[in-house]
Amino acid sequence: MSIGPVRLNHAVLFVMDVTRSERFYTKVFGMDVVLREPRANAVFLRLPRSVHDHDLGLMGVGSSAPPKRRGGIGLYHLAWQVDTIEELQQARTVLAEAGAYTGESSHSGTTKSVYGADPDGNEFEILWMVPRDQWDTYATNVPIERLDLAAEVSRWSGVRTAGEIR
C-alpha cells in the first residue's frame, strides 16, 4: 500500500539570512509574506495565484551554518510551474536581471525549463508543461535537450497548462 499524495503543497528551506532570502523570493517570484515567526527566525511566503496558506517557508540558521554543497546529499531543486510559455520567457529575464539565472533545458515533449539559484545556492526550476495530449511517447521517455525558447514561444504562445489535472 502507498500513501498517494496528489502534489507537493509547500517547501521549507534552511537559509543563512532570512531577510536576504525573503527579499529574493518576494522580488524574483513576487511572493507575499503571510507570516513572520521571530521565535523560529522564520518567514512564510505565498505565491500570488496560490491556493495554499503558504508555498515556501524560510528558516534562518545564521552565518555559522555550513554552506550548501552542490552534489551533496539533500535537496537538488524545487520546481515551480508557470501557466504559459510567455511566463517562462519572462522568468528567464527576471532571473537574469537578478543574477540568479543558471541555465535552461527542454525535457523534450513534456516540459520547457529555466533554472536559477537563490542567495544560499538553493536551486530551483521554473517550468512550463506542454499540454498533456501532446506528450506522445515522451510520457515515459523524456530526453533532455537544448531549449530554443524563442521557437517554443512561437509554437505555444497563449496556451495555458497550469490548471490542467495531470
Side-chain angles (χ1 to χ4, degrees):
M1 174 180 273
S2 64
I3 297 171
V6 295
R7 69 183 43 89
L8 183 66
N9 180 276
H10 68 273
V12 179
L13 300 174
F14 288 121
V15 298
M16 189 176 297
D17 181 330
V18 169
T19 303
R20 178 182 71 173
S21 293
E22 176 187 325
R23 276 193 308 268
F24 177 83
Y25 284 100
T26 56
K27 177 183 175 193
V28 172
F29 285 84
M31 290 183 167
D32 298 311
V33 174
V34 294
L35 175 67
R36 283 190 180 85
E37 178 48 69
R39 294 170 298 175
N41 193 23
V43 63
F44 298 88
L45 306 160
R46 181 184 308 134
L47 293 162
R49 296 183 282 178
S50 177
V51 297
H52 305 289
D53 63 333
H54 71 283
D55 296 291
L56 183 65
L58 303 170
M59 302 187 78
V61 294
S63 60
S64 64
K68 182 178 181 337
R69 190 172 57 86
R70 183 174 174 81
I73 301 301
L75 181 68
Y76 169 37
H77 71 253
L78 302 171
W80 305 95
Q81 184 177 352
V82 294
D83 197 22
T84 67
I85 193 73
E86 293 88 355
E87 289 174 322
L88 183 66
Q89 187 175 42
Q90 178 184 353
R92 180 172 68 180
T93 300
V94 169
L95 292 174
E97 289 173 354
Y101 173 82
T102 61
E104 59 189 55
S105 66
S106 171
H107 297 92
S108 255
T110 58
T111 63
K112 311 303 174 185
S113 303
V114 297
Y115 300 89
D118 75 7
D120 288 298
N122 293 307
E123 296 184 56
F124 52 84
E125 173 182 2
I126 311 294
L127 68 90
W128 177 75
M129 295 195 77
V130 172
R132 179 67 175 99
D133 62 357
Q134 300 294 309
W135 286 10
D136 297 324
T137 61
Y138 295 113
T140 57
N141 177 21
V142 187
I144 299 173
E145 302 168 335
R146 186 186 73 73
L147 176 63
D148 181 348
L149 192 51
E152 299 295 349
V153 169
S154 178
R155 178 179 181 193
W156 299 106
S157 182
V159 176
R160 296 184 175 277
T161 60
E164 292 184 13
I165 296 174
R166 301 273 173 223

